[in-house]
Amino acid sequence: MAVKFVYDHVFSEGVDNREVYKTVASPVVRTAMDGINGTVFAYGVTSSGKTHTMMGDEEHAGIVPHAVAEVYRLAAKLSRKEFSLRISMLEIYNEVVNDLLDPAGTNLRLREDARRGVYVENAREERLTSADHALLVVARGNEARKTSATAYNEGSSRSHTVIRLTIEAADRPEFAAEGEALG
């Protein structure tokens, strides 16, 4: 029995993170700015480039830095709206959820209710002031991740990271009756 898979896109070997971001994640960010939940998920074997694709390095920004920059760029264009952004950063390690922004936040529980949907109880959310602030928070969270050597990667993370950016938008009072598109 043959197994069939459907792919949205396959990139060639030389494609950089910017192109991956524009193709895969930018549409998710744009719809998130319109109030639609979105997820960008990297999956693969150890040392396949997931962390590099998502986070990048000093020379090549990954999906997360590109997404943060685009959120702030789009928010600046939408002058008729006020935006509030918050970030949380969690680690799943040995089936335990830990808060990477709060060292005391260990073994957190998943909860669900009608108003909030699925959420992590007591996860810290930090209110953001700028794209640079967001990247500093992510860097701080990355420093708290669990790592250990593997046969493929000496500093491999042994955990899964979930970065959640919450975007809230409201019409500015003087423009409440009018709408505005991203363009």
Side-chain angles (χ1 to χ4, degrees), residues 6 37-38 45 69 77 88 104-105 121 123 144 161 173 183:
V6 178
N37 291 338
V45 299
K77 281 183 169 183
S88 62
E121 186 176 53
T161 301

Side-chain angles (χ1 to χ4, degrees), residues 5 42 97 126 136 160 164:
F5 296 95
V97 178
E126 187 159 329
L136 287 172
H160 306 282
R164 181 173 183 222

Side-chain angles (χ1 to χ4, degrees), residues 140-156:
R140 188 175 79 231
N142 273 332
E143 289 175 9
R145 290 185 72 193
K146 309 264 189 298
T147 60
S148 64
T150 68
Y152 298 104
N153 184 343
E154 189 173 306
S156 178

Side-chain angles (χ1 to χ4, degrees), residues 11 17-32 38-41 53-54 62-68 70-71 74:
F11 293 98
N17 282 348
R18 177 79 180 141
E19 187 63 29
V20 173
Y21 175 77
K22 286 182 352 188
T23 304
V24 174
S26 182
V28 175
V29 168
R30 289 179 160 273
T31 58
T39 300
V40 178
F41 184 83
T53 300
M54 295 303 286
I63 287 174
V64 171
H66 282 300
V68 167
E70 187 167 19
V71 164
L74 292 172

